[in-house]
mmCIF file of all heavy atoms in Angstrom:
data_model
loop_
_atom_site.group_PDB
_atom_site.id
_atom_site.type_symbol
_atom_site.label_atom_id
_atom_site.label_comp_id
_atom_site.label_asym_id
_atom_site.label_seq_id
_atom_site.Cartn_x
_atom_site.Cartn_y
_atom_site.Cartn_z
ATOM 1 N N SER A 81 -2.851 16.313 -12.294
ATOM 2 C CA SER A 81 -3.743 16.844 -13.329
ATOM 3 C C SER A 81 -5.217 16.541 -13.046
ATOM 4 O O SER A 81 -6.098 17.268 -13.505
ATOM 5 C CB SER A 81 -3.349 16.295 -14.704
ATOM 6 O OG SER A 81 -3.516 14.898 -14.748
ATOM 7 N N GLN A 82 -5.499 15.494 -12.294
ATOM 8 C CA GLN A 82 -6.880 15.130 -11.963
ATOM 9 C C GLN A 82 -7.355 15.736 -10.650
ATOM 10 O O GLN A 82 -8.543 15.702 -10.352
ATOM 11 C CB GLN A 82 -6.995 13.607 -11.869
ATOM 12 C CG GLN A 82 -6.631 12.878 -13.147
ATOM 13 C CD GLN A 82 -6.394 11.408 -12.902
ATOM 14 O OE1 GLN A 82 -5.686 11.048 -11.964
ATOM 15 N NE2 GLN A 82 -6.989 10.576 -13.731
ATOM 16 N N PHE A 83 -6.449 16.278 -9.863
ATOM 17 C CA PHE A 83 -6.766 16.749 -8.517
ATOM 18 C C PHE A 83 -7.846 17.834 -8.513
ATOM 19 O O PHE A 83 -8.785 17.777 -7.723
ATOM 20 C CB PHE A 83 -5.496 17.268 -7.828
ATOM 21 C CG PHE A 83 -5.698 17.624 -6.384
ATOM 22 C CD1 PHE A 83 -5.690 16.645 -5.409
ATOM 23 C CD2 PHE A 83 -5.897 18.939 -5.996
ATOM 24 C CE1 PHE A 83 -5.875 16.953 -4.077
ATOM 25 C CE2 PHE A 83 -6.081 19.268 -4.664
ATOM 26 C CZ PHE A 83 -6.070 18.269 -3.697
ATOM 27 N N ASN A 84 -7.733 18.805 -9.406
ATOM 28 C CA ASN A 84 -8.686 19.920 -9.441
ATOM 29 C C ASN A 84 -10.114 19.424 -9.678
ATOM 30 O O ASN A 84 -11.033 19.788 -8.942
ATOM 31 C CB ASN A 84 -8.270 20.935 -10.506
ATOM 32 C CG ASN A 84 -9.050 22.224 -10.401
ATOM 33 O OD1 ASN A 84 -9.356 22.687 -9.305
ATOM 34 N ND2 ASN A 84 -9.366 22.809 -11.544
ATOM 35 N N ASP A 85 -10.306 18.587 -10.695
ATOM 36 C CA ASP A 85 -11.651 18.098 -11.017
ATOM 37 C C ASP A 85 -12.175 17.093 -9.995
ATOM 38 O O ASP A 85 -13.345 17.118 -9.625
ATOM 39 C CB ASP A 85 -11.662 17.446 -12.403
ATOM 40 C CG ASP A 85 -11.475 18.463 -13.517
ATOM 41 O OD1 ASP A 85 -11.797 19.648 -13.305
ATOM 42 O OD2 ASP A 85 -10.991 18.067 -14.603
ATOM 43 N N THR A 86 -11.307 16.208 -9.530
ATOM 44 C CA THR A 86 -11.733 15.127 -8.638
ATOM 45 C C THR A 86 -11.936 15.581 -7.201
ATOM 46 O O THR A 86 -12.865 15.129 -6.535
ATOM 47 C CB THR A 86 -10.700 13.977 -8.657
ATOM 48 O OG1 THR A 86 -10.468 13.598 -10.006
ATOM 49 C CG2 THR A 86 -11.176 12.787 -7.877
ATOM 50 N N VAL A 87 -11.085 16.484 -6.723
ATOM 51 C CA VAL A 87 -11.130 16.875 -5.313
ATOM 52 C C VAL A 87 -11.726 18.268 -5.123
ATOM 53 O O VAL A 87 -12.693 18.450 -4.386
ATOM 54 C CB VAL A 87 -9.715 16.801 -4.675
ATOM 55 C CG1 VAL A 87 -9.746 17.269 -3.228
ATOM 56 C CG2 VAL A 87 -9.170 15.383 -4.772
ATOM 57 N N LEU A 88 -11.159 19.261 -5.780
ATOM 58 C CA LEU A 88 -11.571 20.647 -5.533
ATOM 59 C C LEU A 88 -12.942 20.995 -6.102
ATOM 60 O O LEU A 88 -13.637 21.849 -5.555
ATOM 61 C CB LEU A 88 -10.506 21.609 -6.070
ATOM 62 C CG LEU A 88 -9.096 21.433 -5.473
ATOM 63 C CD1 LEU A 88 -8.135 22.449 -6.073
ATOM 64 C CD2 LEU A 88 -9.125 21.524 -3.959
ATOM 65 N N LYS A 89 -13.360 20.364 -7.178
ATOM 66 C CA LYS A 89 -14.667 20.649 -7.784
ATOM 67 C C LYS A 89 -15.721 19.593 -7.464
ATOM 68 O O LYS A 89 -16.786 19.571 -8.065
ATOM 69 C CB LYS A 89 -14.518 20.768 -9.302
ATOM 70 C CG LYS A 89 -13.709 21.973 -9.738
ATOM 71 C CD LYS A 89 -13.625 22.061 -11.240
ATOM 72 C CE LYS A 89 -12.807 23.268 -11.659
ATOM 73 N NZ LYS A 89 -12.650 23.323 -13.125
ATOM 74 N N ALA A 90 -15.430 18.726 -6.503
ATOM 75 C CA ALA A 90 -16.354 17.644 -6.150
ATOM 76 C C ALA A 90 -17.603 18.185 -5.459
ATOM 77 O O ALA A 90 -17.551 19.178 -4.735
ATOM 78 C CB ALA A 90 -15.662 16.636 -5.248
ATOM 79 N N ASN A 91 -18.726 17.518 -5.675
ATOM 80 C CA ASN A 91 -20.003 17.908 -5.065
ATOM 81 C C ASN A 91 -20.172 17.344 -3.662
ATOM 82 O O ASN A 91 -21.147 17.665 -2.994
ATOM 83 C CB ASN A 91 -21.168 17.420 -5.928
ATOM 84 C CG ASN A 91 -21.166 18.068 -7.280
ATOM 85 O OD1 ASN A 91 -20.677 19.180 -7.448
ATOM 86 N ND2 ASN A 91 -21.703 17.372 -8.267
ATOM 87 N N ARG A 92 -19.291 16.495 -3.241
ATOM 88 C CA ARG A 92 -19.378 15.877 -1.924
ATOM 89 C C ARG A 92 -17.989 15.824 -1.299
ATOM 90 O O ARG A 92 -16.992 16.068 -1.967
ATOM 91 C CB ARG A 92 -19.996 14.494 -2.015
ATOM 92 C CG ARG A 92 -19.249 13.546 -2.898
ATOM 93 C CD ARG A 92 -20.112 12.348 -3.242
ATOM 94 N NE ARG A 92 -19.349 11.108 -3.162
ATOM 95 C CZ ARG A 92 -19.859 9.956 -2.843
ATOM 96 N NH1 ARG A 92 -21.127 9.853 -2.531
ATOM 97 N NH2 ARG A 92 -19.118 8.877 -2.818
ATOM 98 N N PRO A 93 -17.874 15.502 -0.009
ATOM 99 C CA PRO A 93 -16.563 15.463 0.642
ATOM 100 C C PRO A 93 -15.636 14.426 -0.004
ATOM 101 O O PRO A 93 -16.097 13.377 -0.465
ATOM 102 C CB PRO A 93 -16.872 15.069 2.082
ATOM 103 C CG PRO A 93 -18.315 15.381 2.271
ATOM 104 C CD PRO A 93 -18.967 15.223 0.936
ATOM 105 N N VAL A 94 -14.350 14.749 -0.031
ATOM 106 C CA VAL A 94 -13.342 13.853 -0.597
ATOM 107 C C VAL A 94 -12.241 13.660 0.432
ATOM 108 O O VAL A 94 -11.651 14.626 0.915
ATOM 109 C CB VAL A 94 -12.744 14.424 -1.901
ATOM 110 C CG1 VAL A 94 -11.696 13.468 -2.479
ATOM 111 C CG2 VAL A 94 -13.827 14.712 -2.927
ATOM 112 N N LEU A 95 -11.978 12.407 0.784
ATOM 113 C CA LEU A 95 -10.874 12.074 1.676
ATOM 114 C C LEU A 95 -9.678 11.727 0.801
ATOM 115 O O LEU A 95 -9.729 10.799 0.005
ATOM 116 C CB LEU A 95 -11.225 10.895 2.581
ATOM 117 C CG LEU A 95 -10.128 10.462 3.554
ATOM 118 C CD1 LEU A 95 -9.816 11.577 4.567
ATOM 119 C CD2 LEU A 95 -10.530 9.187 4.273
ATOM 120 N N VAL A 96 -8.599 12.510 0.947
ATOM 121 C CA VAL A 96 -7.392 12.298 0.160
ATOM 122 C C VAL A 96 -6.359 11.597 1.035
ATOM 123 O O VAL A 96 -6.055 12.057 2.132
ATOM 124 C CB VAL A 96 -6.832 13.637 -0.370
ATOM 125 C CG1 VAL A 96 -5.559 13.417 -1.162
ATOM 126 C CG2 VAL A 96 -7.875 14.345 -1.223
ATOM 127 N N GLU A 97 -5.817 10.502 0.526
ATOM 128 C CA GLU A 97 -4.782 9.742 1.225
ATOM 129 C C GLU A 97 -3.484 9.884 0.426
ATOM 130 O O GLU A 97 -3.397 9.446 -0.719
ATOM 131 C CB GLU A 97 -5.190 8.275 1.320
ATOM 132 C CG GLU A 97 -4.159 7.404 1.987
ATOM 133 C CD GLU A 97 -4.495 5.915 1.908
ATOM 134 O OE1 GLU A 97 -5.324 5.520 1.083
ATOM 135 O OE2 GLU A 97 -3.898 5.169 2.685
ATOM 136 N N PHE A 98 -2.481 10.526 1.028
ATOM 137 C CA PHE A 98 -1.166 10.653 0.407
ATOM 138 C C PHE A 98 -0.327 9.463 0.850
ATOM 139 O O PHE A 98 -0.162 9.235 2.055
ATOM 140 C CB PHE A 98 -0.488 11.963 0.825
ATOM 141 C CG PHE A 98 -1.135 13.191 0.255
ATOM 142 C CD1 PHE A 98 -2.139 13.847 0.960
ATOM 143 C CD2 PHE A 98 -0.753 13.690 -0.977
ATOM 144 C CE1 PHE A 98 -2.744 14.986 0.447
ATOM 145 C CE2 PHE A 98 -1.353 14.824 -1.500
ATOM 146 C CZ PHE A 98 -2.347 15.475 -0.785
ATOM 147 N N VAL A 99 0.206 8.700 -0.118
ATOM 148 C CA VAL A 99 0.952 7.480 0.180
ATOM 149 C C VAL A 99 2.199 7.383 -0.695
ATOM 150 O O VAL A 99 2.381 8.162 -1.626
ATOM 151 C CB VAL A 99 0.081 6.224 -0.057
ATOM 152 C CG1 VAL A 99 -1.102 6.182 0.871
ATOM 153 C CG2 VAL A 99 -0.361 6.139 -1.500
ATOM 154 N N ALA A 100 3.051 6.409 -0.396
ATOM 155 C CA ALA A 100 4.204 6.091 -1.234
ATOM 156 C C ALA A 100 4.394 4.580 -1.222
ATOM 157 O O ALA A 100 4.069 3.916 -0.234
ATOM 158 C CB ALA A 100 5.460 6.781 -0.711
ATOM 159 N N ASN A 101 4.925 4.048 -2.317
ATOM 160 C CA ASN A 101 5.078 2.594 -2.395
ATOM 161 C C ASN A 101 6.141 2.059 -1.445
ATOM 162 O O ASN A 101 6.140 0.896 -1.103
ATOM 163 C CB ASN A 101 5.349 2.133 -3.828
ATOM 164 C CG ASN A 101 6.617 2.710 -4.399
ATOM 165 O OD1 ASN A 101 7.344 3.444 -3.735
ATOM 166 N ND2 ASN A 101 6.895 2.385 -5.651
ATOM 167 N N TRP A 102 7.048 2.900 -0.967
ATOM 168 C CA TRP A 102 8.095 2.475 -0.033
ATOM 169 C C TRP A 102 7.683 2.646 1.429
ATOM 170 O O TRP A 102 8.430 2.311 2.335
ATOM 171 C CB TRP A 102 9.389 3.257 -0.288
ATOM 172 C CG TRP A 102 9.165 4.737 -0.446
ATOM 173 C CD1 TRP A 102 9.064 5.421 -1.621
ATOM 174 C CD2 TRP A 102 8.997 5.715 0.591
ATOM 175 N NE1 TRP A 102 8.842 6.756 -1.383
ATOM 176 C CE2 TRP A 102 8.798 6.971 -0.030
ATOM 177 C CE3 TRP A 102 9.000 5.658 1.981
ATOM 178 C CZ2 TRP A 102 8.610 8.138 0.692
ATOM 179 C CZ3 TRP A 102 8.797 6.836 2.691
ATOM 180 C CH2 TRP A 102 8.613 8.048 2.036
ATOM 181 N N CYS A 103 6.497 3.153 1.664
ATOM 182 C CA CYS A 103 6.030 3.497 3.015
ATOM 183 C C CYS A 103 5.322 2.304 3.670
ATOM 184 O O CYS A 103 4.231 1.913 3.256
ATOM 185 C CB CYS A 103 5.090 4.692 2.907
ATOM 186 S SG CYS A 103 4.171 5.071 4.402
ATOM 187 N N GLY A 104 5.945 1.743 4.705
ATOM 188 C CA GLY A 104 5.359 0.617 5.435
ATOM 189 C C GLY A 104 4.015 0.935 6.069
ATOM 190 O O GLY A 104 3.060 0.174 5.917
#
Side-chain angles (χ1 to χ4, degrees):
S81 64
Q82 300 164 313
F83 187 81
N84 191 37
D85 291 335
T86 307
V87 177
L88 302 181
K89 293 181 180 177
N91 296 333
R92 59 196 223 150
V94 180
L95 180 64
V96 179
E97 178 188 17
F98 291 91
V99 296
N101 61 2
W102 46 262
C103 169

